[in-house]
Coordinates of all heavy atoms in Angstrom, one line a residue:
S1 N -17.7 5.0 1.8 CA -16.4 5.7 1.6 C -15.5 4.8 0.8 O -15.5 3.5 0.9 CB -15.8 6.0 2.9 OG -16.6 6.9 3.7
L2 N -14.5 5.4 0.1 CA -13.4 4.7 -0.5 C -12.2 5.6 -0.4 O -12.3 6.9 -0.4 CB -13.7 4.4 -2.0 CG -14.6 3.3 -2.4 CD1 -14.8 3.3 -3.9 CD2 -14.0 2.0 -2.0
R3 N -11.0 5.0 -0.4 CA -9.8 5.8 -0.5 C -9.0 5.3 -1.7 O -8.6 4.2 -1.8 CB -8.9 5.7 0.8 CG -7.7 6.6 0.7 CD -6.9 6.6 2.0 NE -6.0 5.5 2.0 CZ -4.8 5.4 2.7 NH1 -4.5 6.5 3.5 NH2 -4.1 4.4 2.6
L4 N -8.8 6.2 -2.6 CA -7.9 6.0 -3.8 C -6.5 6.4 -3.5 O -6.2 7.3 -2.8 CB -8.5 6.8 -5.0 CG -9.9 6.6 -5.4 CD1 -10.2 7.4 -6.6 CD2 -10.3 5.1 -5.6
S5 N -5.6 5.6 -4.1 CA -4.2 5.9 -4.0 C -3.6 6.1 -5.4 O -4.0 5.5 -6.4 CB -3.4 4.7 -3.3 OG -3.9 4.5 -2.0
C6 N -2.6 6.9 -5.5 CA -1.8 7.1 -6.7 C -0.4 7.1 -6.4 O 0.1 8.0 -5.7 CB -2.2 8.5 -7.4 SG -1.2 8.9 -8.8
A7 N 0.3 6.0 -6.9 CA 1.7 5.9 -6.6 C 2.5 6.4 -7.8 O 2.3 6.0 -8.9 CB 2.1 4.4 -6.3
A8 N 3.5 7.3 -7.5 CA 4.3 7.9 -8.6 C 5.7 7.2 -8.5 O 6.2 6.9 -7.5 CB 4.4 9.4 -8.4
S9 N 6.2 7.1 -9.8 CA 7.6 6.5 -9.8 C 8.3 7.2 -11.1 O 7.6 7.9 -11.8 CB 7.6 5.0 -10.1 OG 6.9 4.6 -11.2
G10 N 9.6 6.9 -11.2 CA 10.3 7.6 -12.3 C 10.9 8.9 -11.8 O 11.4 8.9 -10.7
R11 N 10.7 10.0 -12.5 CA 11.3 11.2 -12.2 C 10.4 12.0 -11.2 O 9.9 13.1 -11.4 CB 11.5 12.1 -13.5 CG 12.5 11.4 -14.4 CD 12.6 12.2 -15.7 NE 13.2 13.5 -15.5 CZ 13.4 14.4 -16.5 NH1 13.1 14.1 -17.7 NH2 14.0 15.5 -16.2
T12 N 10.2 11.4 -10.0 CA 9.3 12.0 -9.0 C 9.8 13.3 -8.5 O 9.1 14.2 -8.1 CB 9.1 11.0 -7.9 OG1 10.4 10.7 -7.3 CG2 8.4 9.8 -8.3
W13 N 11.1 13.6 -8.6 CA 11.7 14.8 -8.2 C 11.2 16.0 -9.0 O 11.2 17.2 -8.6 CB 13.2 14.8 -8.2 CG 13.7 14.4 -9.6 CD1 14.1 13.2 -10.0 CD2 14.0 15.3 -10.7 NE1 14.5 13.2 -11.3 CE2 14.4 14.5 -11.8 CE3 13.8 16.7 -10.9 CZ2 14.8 15.1 -13.0 CZ3 14.1 17.2 -12.2 CH2 14.6 16.4 -13.2
S14 N 10.6 15.7 -10.2 CA 10.1 16.8 -11.1 C 8.7 17.1 -10.9 O 8.2 18.1 -11.4 CB 10.4 16.3 -12.6 OG 9.4 15.3 -12.9
I15 N 8.1 16.4 -10.0 CA 6.6 16.7 -9.7 C 6.4 18.0 -8.9 O 7.1 18.2 -7.9 CB 6.0 15.5 -9.0 CG1 6.0 14.2 -9.9 CG2 4.5 15.8 -8.6 CD1 5.5 13.0 -9.1
Y16 N 5.5 18.8 -9.5 CA 5.2 20.0 -8.7 C 3.8 19.9 -8.0 O 3.5 20.4 -7.0 CB 5.2 21.2 -9.6 CG 5.0 22.5 -8.8 CD1 6.1 23.1 -8.1 CD2 3.8 23.1 -8.7 CE1 5.9 24.3 -7.3 CE2 3.6 24.3 -8.0 CZ 4.6 24.8 -7.3 OH 4.4 26.0 -6.5
A17 N 2.9 19.2 -8.8 CA 1.5 19.1 -8.3 C 0.9 17.8 -8.9 O 1.3 17.4 -9.9 CB 0.7 20.3 -8.6
L18 N -0.1 17.3 -8.2 CA -0.8 16.1 -8.6 C -2.3 16.5 -8.5 O -2.7 17.1 -7.6 CB -0.5 14.8 -7.9 CG 0.9 14.3 -8.1 CD1 1.8 14.7 -7.0 CD2 0.8 12.8 -8.3
G19 N -3.1 15.9 -9.4 CA -4.5 16.1 -9.4 C -5.3 14.8 -9.6 O -4.7 13.8 -10.1
W20 N -6.5 14.8 -9.3 CA -7.4 13.7 -9.6 C -8.5 14.3 -10.5 O -9.0 15.4 -10.3 CB -8.1 13.2 -8.3 CG -7.2 12.3 -7.4 CD1 -6.5 12.7 -6.3 CD2 -7.0 10.9 -7.6 NE1 -5.8 11.7 -5.8 CE2 -6.1 10.6 -6.6 CE3 -7.4 10.0 -8.5 CZ2 -5.7 9.3 -6.4 CZ3 -6.9 8.7 -8.3 CH2 -6.1 8.3 -7.3
F21 N -8.8 13.5 -11.5 CA -9.9 13.8 -12.5 C -10.8 12.5 -12.5 O -10.4 11.4 -12.1 CB -9.4 14.1 -13.9 CG -8.7 15.4 -14.0 CD1 -7.4 15.7 -13.4 CD2 -9.3 16.5 -14.6 CE1 -6.8 16.9 -13.5 CE2 -8.7 17.7 -14.8 CZ -7.5 17.9 -14.2
R22 N -12.0 12.7 -13.0 CA -12.8 11.6 -13.2 C -13.6 11.7 -14.5 O -13.9 12.8 -15.0 CB -13.8 11.4 -12.1 CG -14.8 12.5 -11.9 CD -15.6 12.4 -10.6 NE -16.6 13.4 -10.4 CZ -17.4 13.5 -9.3 NH1 -17.2 12.6 -8.3 NH2 -18.3 14.5 -9.2
Q23 N -14.0 10.6 -15.1 CA -14.8 10.5 -16.4 C -15.8 9.5 -16.3 O -15.5 8.3 -16.1 CB -13.8 10.3 -17.5 CG -14.4 10.4 -18.9 CD -13.4 10.4 -20.0 OE1 -12.3 10.0 -19.8 NE2 -13.8 11.0 -21.1
A24 N -17.1 10.0 -16.4 CA -18.2 9.0 -16.5 C -18.5 8.7 -17.9 O -18.1 9.5 -18.8 CB -19.4 9.7 -15.8
P25 N -19.1 7.6 -18.2 CA -19.5 7.2 -19.6 C -20.2 8.3 -20.3 O -21.2 8.9 -19.8 CB -20.3 6.0 -19.4 CG -19.9 5.4 -18.1 CD -19.6 6.6 -17.2
G26 N -19.7 8.6 -21.5 CA -20.3 9.7 -22.3 C -20.1 11.1 -21.9 O -20.6 12.0 -22.5
E27 N -19.2 11.3 -20.9 CA -19.0 12.6 -20.4 C -17.5 13.0 -20.6 O -16.6 12.1 -20.7 CB -19.4 12.8 -19.0 CG -20.9 12.6 -18.8 CD -21.3 12.9 -17.4 OE1 -20.5 13.4 -16.6 OE2 -22.5 12.6 -17.0
E28 N -17.2 14.3 -20.5 CA -15.8 14.7 -20.5 C -15.2 14.4 -19.2 O -15.8 14.4 -18.2 CB -15.7 16.2 -20.8 CG -16.2 16.5 -22.3 CD -15.9 18.0 -22.6 OE1 -15.4 18.8 -21.7 OE2 -16.0 18.4 -23.8
R29 N -13.8 14.3 -19.2 CA -13.1 14.2 -18.0 C -13.1 15.5 -17.2 O -12.8 16.5 -17.8 CB -11.6 13.8 -18.3 CG -10.8 13.3 -17.2 CD -9.5 12.7 -17.6 NE -9.7 11.5 -18.5 CZ -8.7 10.7 -19.0 NH1 -7.5 11.0 -18.6 NH2 -9.0 9.7 -19.7
Q30 N -13.4 15.4 -16.0 CA -13.6 16.6 -15.2 C -12.7 16.6 -14.0 O -12.4 15.5 -13.4 CB -15.0 16.8 -14.7 CG -15.6 15.7 -13.9 CD -17.0 15.9 -13.5 OE1 -17.5 15.5 -12.4 NE2 -17.8 16.6 -14.4
F31 N -12.3 17.8 -13.5 CA -11.4 17.9 -12.4 C -12.1 17.6 -11.1 O -13.3 17.9 -10.9 CB -11.0 19.4 -12.3 CG -10.3 19.8 -11.0 CD1 -9.0 19.5 -10.9 CD2 -10.9 20.5 -10.1 CE1 -8.3 19.9 -9.7 CE2 -10.3 20.9 -8.9 CZ -9.0 20.6 -8.8
V32 N -11.4 17.0 -10.2 CA -11.9 16.6 -8.9 C -11.1 17.4 -7.8 O -11.7 18.0 -7.0 CB -11.8 15.1 -8.6 CG1 -12.3 14.7 -7.2 CG2 -12.6 14.3 -9.7
A33 N -9.8 17.2 -7.7 CA -9.0 17.8 -6.7 C -7.6 17.8 -7.1 O -7.2 17.1 -8.0 CB -9.1 17.0 -5.4
A34 N -6.8 18.8 -6.5 CA -5.4 18.9 -6.8 C -4.6 19.2 -5.5 O -5.2 19.9 -4.6 CB -5.1 19.9 -7.9
I35 N -3.4 18.9 -5.5 CA -2.5 19.2 -4.4 C -1.1 19.5 -4.8 O -0.5 19.0 -5.7 CB -2.4 18.0 -3.4 CG1 -1.8 18.4 -2.0 CG2 -1.8 16.8 -4.0 CD1 -2.0 17.4 -0.9
N36 N -0.6 20.6 -4.1 CA 0.8 21.0 -4.4 C 1.7 20.0 -3.7 O 1.6 19.8 -2.5 CB 1.0 22.4 -3.8 CG 2.4 23.0 -4.1 OD1 3.4 22.5 -3.5 ND2 2.5 24.0 -4.9
W37 N 2.7 19.5 -4.4 CA 3.5 18.4 -3.9 C 4.3 18.9 -2.7 O 4.7 18.1 -1.8 CB 4.4 17.8 -5.0 CG 5.1 16.6 -4.7 CD1 6.5 16.4 -4.6 CD2 4.6 15.3 -4.3 NE1 6.8 15.1 -4.3 CE2 5.6 14.4 -4.1 CE3 3.2 14.9 -4.2 CZ2 5.4 13.1 -3.8 CZ3 3.1 13.6 -3.8 CH2 4.1 12.7 -3.7
Y38 N 4.7 20.1 -2.6 CA 5.6 20.6 -1.6 C 4.9 21.3 -0.5 O 5.1 21.0 0.7 CB 6.7 21.5 -2.2 CG 7.5 20.8 -3.2 CD1 7.3 20.9 -4.6 CD2 8.6 19.9 -2.8 CE1 8.1 20.1 -5.4 CE2 9.3 19.2 -3.6 CZ 9.1 19.3 -5.0 OH 9.8 18.6 -5.9
G39 N 4.1 22.3 -0.8 CA 3.4 23.0 0.2 C 2.1 22.4 0.7 O 1.6 22.8 1.8

């Protein structure tokens, strides 16, 4: 197991949602997960 963190700064009040993507060598960046910042 691993736990990744993503710290946001700047105009954080403007964030509606955040997502995680991943990219393996030679492949396109692909969606992993997303979360609505408020709900």
